[in-house]
Amino acid sequence: MSKIKIAIVGIGNCASSLIQGIHYYENKTEEDSIGLMHWKIDGYKPSDIEVVAAFDVDARKVGKTVDEAIFAKPNCTKIFQKDIPKSNVKVSMGKVLDGVAPHMHDFEDDLSFVVADEEEPSLEDVVKILKDSGAEMLLNYLPVGSQKATEFYAEACLEAGIGFINCMPVFIVSNPEWESKFRERNIPAIGDDIKAQIGATITHRTLTNLFKNRGVKLDRTYQINTGGNTDFMNMLNRDRLASKRVSKTEAVQSVAGERLDPHDIHIGPSDYIPWQKDNKICFLRMEGREFGDVPMNIELRLSVEDSPNSAGCVIDAVRVLKLALKRGVGGQLTSISSYLMKHPPVQYDDDTAFEKSNLFIEGKLDR
């Protein structure tokens, strides 16, 4: 089979985990393919994905080949696949816009962010790179709060005629105005804001749904998270968190049955702890009332390696979007977006989203 050709903007921890995974599963069989939700989708295995273009603005990554850039600082995710073949794809200079928060320049040692001393590309430059590379889709891994930068790359996808997978919480695919642009040009898109396989949001949703199904009244809840990667460092600027909080909160509210008063639900990042690196720790509390109006509560601590956790979902998103391209389906892909994203255009409960995603893969559902 021919490869699924992808472009990536943002060669950080998430991109590193995804690319490591592409090669990690190359010599695996279905029987020992731990960590995948689907071994094959339309005949495509994880190793059938190829990175043909990449963009970043970090001086430590721009100009390096992809196999070098994914291990460059400040990336700190777990290395589970050291043997990455030499790539002939170099990381191109990207568009900065609002992709770098001002405070990211102020950290000591190798944590401080330095923008590469290269001319920023125009929209036409990026479109040309995408077209020349043969990329079929672009994955957006820009930092939280990169509204203008995300819109820039979404527009580049429209101009290049390639699919878009929006892995971060700027609302493109769930924004009717943007989604209509993809639909009008018959270009498929998946988004917004990637879930983890077993992360804070999916765990919180599952427990919230359990409360509802077992007749327990959920009165109040919080979810706070800490981590030491550049995502958490970026989110120290609270001004960049608005869409992230909306995305994570709505993911839980949508399965609650009866929506909680905003005063009674708090979901969002809490703090940056450097020594945690790519380890994310979630502290979750849920207070409710069961039979006889008797109070109960759950407290949970979840520890996960953040970036591989998301890559397990992105590996499916890539293959499903390829399937949509082959079928000529444009616009938002409702089923897989609801299954894999925190803020999809349509929120289904997780069981329904899983079922609909499989129906789409099998060709029994339009989108």
mmCIF file of all heavy atoms in Angstrom, residues 2 6 8 12 25 31 38 47 89 93 99 170 173 187 204 207 236 241 266-267 278 284 302 335 337:
data_model
loop_
_atom_site.group_PDB
_atom_site.id
_atom_site.type_symbol
_atom_site.label_atom_id
_atom_site.label_comp_id
_atom_site.label_asym_id
_atom_site.label_seq_id
_atom_site.Cartn_x
_atom_site.Cartn_y
_atom_site.Cartn_z
ATOM 1 N N SER A 2 0.380 2.314 -0.596
ATOM 2 C CA SER A 2 1.090 3.586 -0.536
ATOM 3 C C SER A 2 0.977 4.145 0.875
ATOM 4 O O SER A 2 0.056 3.829 1.626
ATOM 5 C CB SER A 2 0.494 4.572 -1.536
ATOM 6 O OG SER A 2 -0.877 4.809 -1.241
ATOM 7 N N ILE A 6 1.719 12.798 5.721
ATOM 8 C CA ILE A 6 1.234 13.830 6.632
ATOM 9 C C ILE A 6 2.262 14.951 6.800
ATOM 10 O O ILE A 6 3.468 14.737 6.669
ATOM 11 C CB ILE A 6 0.876 13.249 8.018
ATOM 12 C CG1 ILE A 6 2.131 12.755 8.753
ATOM 13 C CG2 ILE A 6 -0.147 12.134 7.887
ATOM 14 C CD1 ILE A 6 1.893 12.372 10.209
ATOM 15 N N ILE A 8 3.181 18.097 9.697
ATOM 16 C CA ILE A 8 2.965 18.408 11.110
ATOM 17 C C ILE A 8 3.441 19.822 11.380
ATOM 18 O O ILE A 8 4.541 20.208 10.967
ATOM 19 C CB ILE A 8 3.731 17.437 12.040
ATOM 20 C CG1 ILE A 8 3.276 15.989 11.821
ATOM 21 C CG2 ILE A 8 3.556 17.837 13.493
ATOM 22 C CD1 ILE A 8 4.078 14.977 12.626
ATOM 23 N N GLY A 12 6.869 19.162 18.819
ATOM 24 C CA GLY A 12 7.074 19.051 20.257
ATOM 25 C C GLY A 12 6.922 17.621 20.736
ATOM 26 O O GLY A 12 7.107 16.655 19.985
ATOM 27 N N TYR A 25 5.686 0.443 15.973
ATOM 28 C CA TYR A 25 4.757 -0.614 15.577
ATOM 29 C C TYR A 25 5.115 -1.256 14.229
ATOM 30 O O TYR A 25 4.420 -2.161 13.779
ATOM 31 C CB TYR A 25 3.334 -0.061 15.529
ATOM 32 C CG TYR A 25 2.770 0.219 16.900
ATOM 33 C CD1 TYR A 25 2.684 1.518 17.390
ATOM 34 C CD2 TYR A 25 2.345 -0.821 17.722
ATOM 35 C CE1 TYR A 25 2.182 1.783 18.652
ATOM 36 C CE2 TYR A 25 1.851 -0.574 18.993
ATOM 37 C CZ TYR A 25 1.770 0.731 19.459
ATOM 38 O OH TYR A 25 1.284 0.976 20.720
ATOM 39 N N GLU A 31 -1.179 -9.254 17.346
ATOM 40 C CA GLU A 31 -1.229 -9.918 18.650
ATOM 41 C C GLU A 31 -0.410 -9.189 19.714
ATOM 42 O O GLU A 31 -0.727 -9.259 20.900
ATOM 43 C CB GLU A 31 -0.726 -11.368 18.520
ATOM 44 C CG GLU A 31 -1.670 -12.315 17.790
ATOM 45 C CD GLU A 31 -1.790 -12.001 16.304
ATOM 46 O OE1 GLU A 31 -0.791 -11.521 15.712
ATOM 47 O OE2 GLU A 31 -2.884 -12.227 15.742
ATOM 48 N N HIS A 38 -7.115 0.505 17.195
ATOM 49 C CA HIS A 38 -7.332 -0.237 15.958
ATOM 50 C C HIS A 38 -5.967 -0.600 15.373
ATOM 51 O O HIS A 38 -5.136 0.287 15.154
ATOM 52 C CB HIS A 38 -8.102 0.599 14.925
ATOM 53 C CG HIS A 38 -9.496 0.952 15.331
ATOM 54 N ND1 HIS A 38 -9.790 2.083 16.050
ATOM 55 C CD2 HIS A 38 -10.678 0.313 15.120
ATOM 56 C CE1 HIS A 38 -11.102 2.144 16.261
ATOM 57 N NE2 HIS A 38 -11.662 1.083 15.708
ATOM 58 N N SER A 47 2.499 1.987 10.852
ATOM 59 C CA SER A 47 3.748 2.153 10.102
ATOM 60 C C SER A 47 3.518 2.588 8.657
ATOM 61 O O SER A 47 4.484 2.872 7.934
ATOM 62 C CB SER A 47 4.550 0.853 10.127
ATOM 63 O OG SER A 47 3.791 -0.219 9.600
ATOM 64 N N VAL A 89 13.450 14.795 5.457
ATOM 65 C CA VAL A 89 12.544 15.938 5.637
ATOM 66 C C VAL A 89 13.113 16.864 6.710
ATOM 67 O O VAL A 89 13.312 16.449 7.852
ATOM 68 C CB VAL A 89 11.130 15.473 6.041
ATOM 69 C CG1 VAL A 89 10.228 16.675 6.299
ATOM 70 C CG2 VAL A 89 10.541 14.571 4.974
ATOM 71 N N MET A 93 10.840 26.614 8.728
ATOM 72 C CA MET A 93 10.443 27.720 9.589
ATOM 73 C C MET A 93 8.951 27.963 9.436
ATOM 74 O O MET A 93 8.421 28.035 8.318
ATOM 75 C CB MET A 93 11.207 28.995 9.209
ATOM 76 C CG MET A 93 10.856 30.212 10.056
ATOM 77 S SD MET A 93 11.296 29.986 11.800
ATOM 78 C CE MET A 93 10.597 31.487 12.533
ATOM 79 N N GLY A 99 1.830 32.116 18.314
ATOM 80 C CA GLY A 99 2.207 30.744 18.675
ATOM 81 C C GLY A 99 3.194 30.648 19.824
ATOM 82 O O GLY A 99 3.408 29.561 20.352
ATOM 83 N N VAL A 170 -8.130 25.387 19.740
ATOM 84 C CA VAL A 170 -8.661 26.550 19.021
ATOM 85 C C VAL A 170 -9.772 25.992 18.160
ATOM 86 O O VAL A 170 -9.582 24.997 17.468
ATOM 87 C CB VAL A 170 -7.583 27.240 18.168
ATOM 88 C CG1 VAL A 170 -8.208 28.177 17.163
ATOM 89 C CG2 VAL A 170 -6.621 28.017 19.070
ATOM 90 N N VAL A 173 -12.808 23.160 13.601
ATOM 91 C CA VAL A 173 -13.743 22.151 13.089
ATOM 92 C C VAL A 173 -15.102 22.279 13.764
ATOM 93 O O VAL A 173 -16.142 21.998 13.161
ATOM 94 C CB VAL A 173 -13.162 20.732 13.284
ATOM 95 C CG1 VAL A 173 -14.076 19.669 12.662
ATOM 96 C CG2 VAL A 173 -11.770 20.635 12.655
ATOM 97 N N ILE A 187 -13.131 19.111 1.689
ATOM 98 C CA ILE A 187 -11.905 18.716 2.392
ATOM 99 C C ILE A 187 -12.288 18.234 3.786
ATOM 100 O O ILE A 187 -12.934 18.968 4.542
ATOM 101 C CB ILE A 187 -10.930 19.899 2.493
ATOM 102 C CG1 ILE A 187 -10.533 20.385 1.093
ATOM 103 C CG2 ILE A 187 -9.702 19.509 3.301
ATOM 104 C CD1 ILE A 187 -9.737 21.683 1.122
ATOM 105 N N HIS A 204 -12.845 11.570 33.507
ATOM 106 C CA HIS A 204 -13.863 12.420 34.130
ATOM 107 C C HIS A 204 -15.220 12.217 33.456
ATOM 108 O O HIS A 204 -16.268 12.129 34.127
ATOM 109 C CB HIS A 204 -13.424 13.878 34.034
ATOM 110 C CG HIS A 204 -13.987 14.762 35.091
ATOM 111 N ND1 HIS A 204 -13.457 15.991 35.406
ATOM 112 C CD2 HIS A 204 -15.062 14.613 35.922
ATOM 113 C CE1 HIS A 204 -14.165 16.554 36.373
ATOM 114 N NE2 HIS A 204 -15.151 15.744 36.693
ATOM 115 N N LEU A 207 -16.714 8.753 34.518
ATOM 116 C CA LEU A 207 -17.275 8.766 35.866
ATOM 117 C C LEU A 207 -18.546 9.612 35.931
ATOM 118 O O LEU A 207 -19.502 9.262 36.642
ATOM 119 C CB LEU A 207 -16.236 9.286 36.858
ATOM 120 C CG LEU A 207 -15.074 8.333 37.156
ATOM 121 C CD1 LEU A 207 -14.008 9.027 37.999
ATOM 122 C CD2 LEU A 207 -15.573 7.076 37.883
ATOM 123 N N LEU A 236 1.070 28.708 31.792
ATOM 124 C CA LEU A 236 1.248 29.608 32.933
ATOM 125 C C LEU A 236 0.660 30.979 32.626
ATOM 126 O O LEU A 236 0.298 31.731 33.527
ATOM 127 C CB LEU A 236 2.739 29.744 33.273
ATOM 128 C CG LEU A 236 3.384 28.541 33.962
ATOM 129 C CD1 LEU A 236 4.884 28.764 34.112
ATOM 130 C CD2 LEU A 236 2.747 28.279 35.328
ATOM 131 N N LEU A 241 -5.675 30.461 28.186
ATOM 132 C CA LEU A 241 -6.383 29.261 28.626
ATOM 133 C C LEU A 241 -7.879 29.249 28.342
ATOM 134 O O LEU A 241 -8.541 28.247 28.607
ATOM 135 C CB LEU A 241 -6.194 29.070 30.136
ATOM 136 C CG LEU A 241 -4.881 28.454 30.570
ATOM 137 C CD1 LEU A 241 -4.836 28.347 32.088
ATOM 138 C CD2 LEU A 241 -4.680 27.089 29.958
ATOM 139 N N HIS A 266 -15.093 22.990 38.112
ATOM 140 C CA HIS A 266 -13.823 23.650 37.799
ATOM 141 C C HIS A 266 -12.908 22.625 37.139
ATOM 142 O O HIS A 266 -12.571 21.607 37.733
ATOM 143 C CB HIS A 266 -13.150 24.199 39.066
ATOM 144 C CG HIS A 266 -11.806 24.825 38.794
ATOM 145 N ND1 HIS A 266 -11.668 26.138 38.437
ATOM 146 C CD2 HIS A 266 -10.556 24.296 38.804
ATOM 147 C CE1 HIS A 266 -10.379 26.415 38.249
ATOM 148 N NE2 HIS A 266 -9.688 25.294 38.462
ATOM 149 N N ILE A 267 -12.542 22.906 35.896
ATOM 150 C CA ILE A 267 -11.683 21.989 35.155
ATOM 151 C C ILE A 267 -10.618 22.805 34.445
ATOM 152 O O ILE A 267 -10.925 23.752 33.719
ATOM 153 C CB ILE A 267 -12.482 21.171 34.117
ATOM 154 C CG1 ILE A 267 -13.554 20.341 34.824
ATOM 155 C CG2 ILE A 267 -11.558 20.269 33.322
ATOM 156 C CD1 ILE A 267 -14.429 19.541 33.882
ATOM 157 N N ASP A 278 7.158 15.262 31.087
ATOM 158 C CA ASP A 278 5.952 14.968 30.305
ATOM 159 C C ASP A 278 4.935 14.139 31.090
ATOM 160 O O ASP A 278 3.928 13.712 30.553
ATOM 161 C CB ASP A 278 6.330 14.229 29.014
ATOM 162 C CG ASP A 278 5.228 14.295 27.954
ATOM 163 O OD1 ASP A 278 4.573 15.350 27.845
ATOM 164 O OD2 ASP A 278 5.020 13.291 27.247
ATOM 165 N N LEU A 284 -8.739 14.681 40.760
ATOM 166 C CA LEU A 284 -10.158 14.786 40.416
ATOM 167 C C LEU A 284 -11.005 14.497 41.652
ATOM 168 O O LEU A 284 -10.737 13.548 42.400
ATOM 169 C CB LEU A 284 -10.469 13.760 39.313
ATOM 170 C CG LEU A 284 -11.804 13.815 38.584
ATOM 171 C CD1 LEU A 284 -11.651 13.180 37.205
ATOM 172 C CD2 LEU A 284 -12.890 13.065 39.352
ATOM 173 N N LEU A 302 -4.628 10.458 38.928
ATOM 174 C CA LEU A 302 -4.251 9.769 37.702
ATOM 175 C C LEU A 302 -2.900 10.291 37.245
ATOM 176 O O LEU A 302 -2.697 11.497 37.154
ATOM 177 C CB LEU A 302 -5.300 10.017 36.620
ATOM 178 C CG LEU A 302 -4.991 9.519 35.206
ATOM 179 C CD1 LEU A 302 -5.007 7.999 35.154
ATOM 180 C CD2 LEU A 302 -5.999 10.092 34.208
ATOM 181 N N SER A 335 -18.371 11.488 13.606
ATOM 182 C CA SER A 335 -18.208 10.341 14.498
ATOM 183 C C SER A 335 -16.823 10.300 15.126
ATOM 184 O O SER A 335 -16.686 10.226 16.359
ATOM 185 C CB SER A 335 -18.482 9.045 13.729
ATOM 186 O OG SER A 335 -17.654 8.951 12.574
ATOM 187 N N SER A 337 -14.568 12.640 15.289
ATOM 188 C CA SER A 337 -14.300 13.845 16.084
ATOM 189 C C SER A 337 -14.885 13.704 17.481
ATOM 190 O O SER A 337 -14.248 14.064 18.473
ATOM 191 C CB SER A 337 -14.869 15.088 15.393
ATOM 192 O OG SER A 337 -14.175 15.392 14.207
#
